[in-house]
Amino acid sequence: MSIHEECGVFGVIAPEPCDVASISYYGLYALQHRGQESCGIVVNDDGVFVSHKDMGLVSEVFSGDILPRMPKGTMAVAHARYGTTGGTNRNNYQPIEVNHQKGRMALAHNGNLSNAVELRSELELTGAIFHTTSDTETIAYIITKERLQVPSIEEAVSRAMNTLDGAYSLVLMSPQKLICARDPYGFRPLCYGKTADGTYVVASESCAIRAVGAELIWDVEPGEILIFSKNGVVSRREHCGKKDKKLCIFEYIYFSRPDSVIDGISVHASRITAGKILAKTHPVKADVVIGAPDSGLDAALGFSQESGIPYGIGLIKNKYIGRTFISPGQGTRLDGVKIKLAAVEESVKDKRVVLVDDSIVRGNTMGRVVKLLRDAGAKEVHVRISSPPFLHPCYYGTDIDSEEHLIACKYSIPEICDIIGADSLGYFSATELHQLTGNCEFCSACFNGDYPTKIPTDTRKDRFEQRLTDIKRGADYGKGI
Ligand code: SF4
C-alpha cells in the first residue's frame, strides 16, 4: 500500500502525421498509477523533436493550451515518473533527449540497472559529463556511444544490451524509427498493439494500449528488440533465451492496473487467485471482507468468494489527492492516512472484519488503517496480506528500501500483529506465488533474497546525488574501477 514503482513508458508510430501528442497523453493518463512525480512527451515532427516535460500529474503538466500547441508528427515517446533512484531532480524528467553526430534520440525507461554505478564511472573516466542522477542517462549514453560505431539505432541498442544489467523496459525513437526493448530477464512489463488505421503503440501495460483504442498484440519478450518504421515491424531476439525470465511478481500483486494483462495473465484474475489462496491458508470466522483501496480490492473479492464471507466496501479513498498533497508533519495532529482514507461505519460497525491488503512495508500505515476501522466500530480486525513478508530490498526500480525499514525483518508475525493492532495476521505464502503467474518464471527477490543479477555495489537510492557530494569533498571514484 505504500510501495511505489518508478515509471510508465509509452510510444506511438503512425503511418501519417497526426496528433501523436494527444495519443501519448491518453496513454500516459492510463499509466499514471506507475508514476505521479513528473511526466513528459517528445513528438517527432519529421525528424524535429519537440518536447514538454514538467513536475506533476499528466493532467497538470499538459493542462491549458500545452497539448494543442504540440506539433503533429508520426512518432512520440512519453514517460510518467515516480522518482526512486535519482530523487526529484528536475533534470531527471523523461524522456531523455540526445543530439549526437549521427542524429538524435529520445529515450524513456522503466526499471533500475544493477551495474549503473560501474557503467557510469567507466563513462565518466572517458570524459562523459552527466546532467542527471538517474540510470536512464547512462543507458542513453551507452546507446549513443554504440550508435557512433554502428550503422543503425537498433544495432546500437542490441550492443548496449550486452553491457546493461538489471531491469529496463525501453521505448526510444530516432528520426526514422520507434524502438522498444525489454531486458533479458523481463523484470518490467512492456507490450504493444495496433489501431485499425495502422498506428502502433507500445506501453508498460496493456491498459494504456486499450485506452488509445488499439488492440493488444502481445508482450515484448524478455531480451527482444522491436523496431517499428515505415517498413513495418521487425523483431530481434538474439538476446532471448540467454536468461531465465524474471518478471517482477509485484506487478501482479500491486503495481499494475487490474485491467492489464501481463505476459498473457490477467492482473485482476491473478489477484482474485491470491485472495482465494489466502482464504484457504489463513481462514478466519468473520462477518465481512473488505479490501484496502485500490490494490487490495481484487484479492478481498477472491477471499470473499472462497470463504463465503460477504464482501463489503469498508474503506473509501480520496481519489483527488495528487502530487500537491503534503502529508502532515510531526508538528501537526492531523493524520495523513485519515485524509487519504475513510472507514465506512455502516459496513464495519459491530462486525468482525477481514481487511485484505497487498503488503506491509514499515507497518505505520497498516496500524493507522486498523485504528480507523476500530474507531468506526469494528469488533475485530483480521489482516490478510496478498504477498509474502518483505525481507529484502529491491534493486530493480521500486522503492522497497533497506532491511532496516522493513517491519518483517525486525519482528515476528505475532509481534507485527501486536504493532499494527490487529486480532490476527496472515501472509500469502512464498511457496504459492507460482499460482499467480500461471507457473511462469518470476522474480521474488524481495521475499527470498534470490536476486537474479548481481547485487549493485552501491545500493543507495540517492547514489548519484551522493557521488556529486563526495566528489566535491575530494573522493576519487577512479580508484578501484
Ligand atoms: Fe519485484 Fe521484488 Fe523482484 Fe523488485 S525484488 S523486481 S519488487 S519481485
Side-chain angles (χ1 to χ4, degrees):
M1 213 162 117
S2 48
I3 309 160
H4 297 94
E5 191 173 15
E6 205 170 355
C7 303
V9 295
F10 187 84
V12 52
I13 178 166
E16 299 295 334
C18 64
D19 191 1
V20 285
S22 289
I23 297 172
S24 303
Y25 173 84
Y26 290 117
L28 280 190
Y29 216 94
L31 296 172
Q32 186 77 85
H33 59 287
R34 298 183 75 87
Q36 294 108 46
E37 182 187 288
S38 66
C39 59
I41 297 173
V42 182
V43 169
N44 182 343
D45 176 13
D46 201 18
V48 177
F49 287 8
V50 178
S51 64
H52 181 74
K53 307 168 220 177
D54 207 343
M55 297 287 287
L57 300 172
V58 177
S59 57
E60 296 165 344
V61 171
F62 292 95
S63 60
D65 63 350
I66 301 263
L67 204 55
R69 277 173 42 203
M70 293 195 82
K72 291 195 175 358
T74 50
M75 279 183 254
V77 292
H79 190 267
R81 173 179 163 82
Y82 172 81
T84 52
T85 302
T88 54
N89 184 337
R90 279 183 169 257
N91 290 337
N92 288 333
Y93 298 165
Q94 292 192 39
I96 283 188
E97 293 166 81
V98 179
N99 287 311
H100 56 83
Q101 217 176 37
K102 287 191 177 176
R104 57 186 57 84
M105 174 180 79
L107 169 73
H109 164 222
N110 175 210
N112 269 10
L113 299 182
S114 38
N115 61 346
V117 171
E118 292 85 343
L119 292 175
R120 186 160 162 147
S121 296
E122 281 168 22
L123 288 166
E124 283 172 335
L125 285 172
T126 60
I129 296 167
F130 285 83
H131 300 281
T132 78
T133 53
S134 77
D135 292 3
T136 313
E137 192 178 13
T138 304
I139 299 174
Y141 230 115
I142 290 171
I143 294 174
T144 304
K145 256 185 94 178
E146 296 292 354
R147 178 68 186 94
L148 299 180
Q149 311 295 324
V150 296
S152 69
I153 183 73
E154 58 268 33
E155 189 59 37
V157 172
S158 173
R159 286 176 61 157
M161 286 173 74
N162 291 326
T163 310
L164 307 174
D165 193 25
Y168 56 91
S169 282
L170 306 176
V171 180
L172 61 128
M173 88 185 157
S174 70
Q176 304 293 336
K177 294 170 190 163
L178 181 79
I179 291 181
C180 61
R182 195 170 170 198
D183 70 71
Y185 299 97
F187 281 107
R188 298 282 151 234
L190 193 64
C191 56
Y192 67 109
K194 192 179 179 186
T195 64
D197 71 356
T199 298
Y200 281 97
V201 286
V202 181
S204 292
E205 289 181 40
S206 63
C207 62
I209 303 278
R210 282 195 299 274
V212 299
E215 285 287 324
L216 176 67
I217 296 177
W218 199 240
D219 298 85
V220 181
E221 297 289 337
E224 184 177 18
I225 304 169
L226 282 176
I227 306 111
F228 301 86
S229 70
K230 282 194 171 150
N231 303 324
V233 190
V234 176
S235 164
R236 292 181 64 148
R237 293 172 181 239
E238 63 263 41
H239 299 276
C240 283
K242 282 190 181 171
K243 307 270 196 273
D244 291 337
K245 183 176 171 184
K246 292 290 177 188
L247 174 71
C248 168
I249 190 74
F250 233 71
E251 291 288 348
Y252 291 109
I253 295 168
Y254 172 77
F255 294 136
S256 296
R257 243 172 61 166
D259 56 326
S260 285
V261 176
I262 303 173
D263 291 348
I265 308 284
S266 151
V267 173
H268 168 73
S270 171
R271 289 180 191 169
I272 292 274
T273 302
K276 288 184 173 178
I277 293 170
L278 261 181
K280 281 190 210 158
T281 51
H282 297 285
V284 62
K285 287 192 174 134
D287 305 305
V288 65
V289 181
I290 65 168
D294 292 315
S295 52
L297 300 177
D298 306 71
L301 188 59
F303 195 106
S304 166
Q305 289 172 356
E306 181 65 31
S307 64
I309 302 168
Y311 177 80
I313 306 291
L315 289 165
I316 298 293
K317 184 176 168 186
N318 184 337
K319 291 190 167 37
Y320 304 100
I321 289 181
R323 178 185 66 87
T324 47
F325 176 75
I326 298 163
S327 279
Q330 288 185 336
T332 163
R333 282 155 54 197
L334 288 176
D335 181 346
V337 170
K338 269 190 180 169
I339 296 166
K340 290 180 189 169
L341 280 179
V344 181
E345 200 175 306
E346 180 67 23
S347 300
V348 302
K349 191 165 186 216
D350 298 326
K351 291 190 179 150
R352 297 168 296 173
V353 177
V354 180
L355 168 63
V356 182
D357 200 357
D358 55 80
S359 56
I360 302 179
V361 185
R362 297 177 183 217
N364 306 354
T365 305
M366 181 55 79
R368 291 197 196 116
V369 175
V370 171
K371 184 167 184 311
L372 269 185
L373 295 171
R374 291 207 191 278
D375 289 348
K379 239 174 17 186
E380 295 173 16
V381 181
H382 302 274
V383 175
R384 297 293 180 268
I385 301 297
S386 61
S387 67
F390 283 128
L391 296 171
H392 307 275
C394 171
Y395 305 120
Y396 307 120
T398 75
D399 66 355
I400 299 168
D401 213 335
S402 59
E403 275 106 347
E404 68 190 276
H405 297 132
L406 301 173
I407 193 169
C409 287
K410 294 190 276 191
Y411 301 103
S412 66
I413 290 178
E415 286 170 334
I416 297 170
C417 192
D418 272 355
I419 291 168
I420 62 175
D423 292 282
S424 71
L425 170 63
Y427 281 95
F428 194 89
S429 164
T431 58
E432 306 284 353
L433 284 172
H434 63 280
Q435 297 202 44
L436 309 187
T437 66
N439 291 321
C440 278
E441 284 293 309
F442 53 86
C443 172
S444 54
C446 47
F447 309 127
N448 58 21
D450 184 10
Y451 292 99
T453 67
K454 75 180 179 60
I455 294 174
T457 49
D458 187 344
T459 58
R460 292 170 299 176
K461 299 283 182 191
D462 63 346
R463 53 189 177 249
F464 296 125
E465 279 166 4
Q466 200 57 45
R467 279 162 55 84
L468 293 176
T469 312
D470 292 350
I471 286 166
K472 279 181 201 152
R473 287 186 186 139
D476 185 352
Y477 275 89
K479 283 178 185 162
I481 292 165

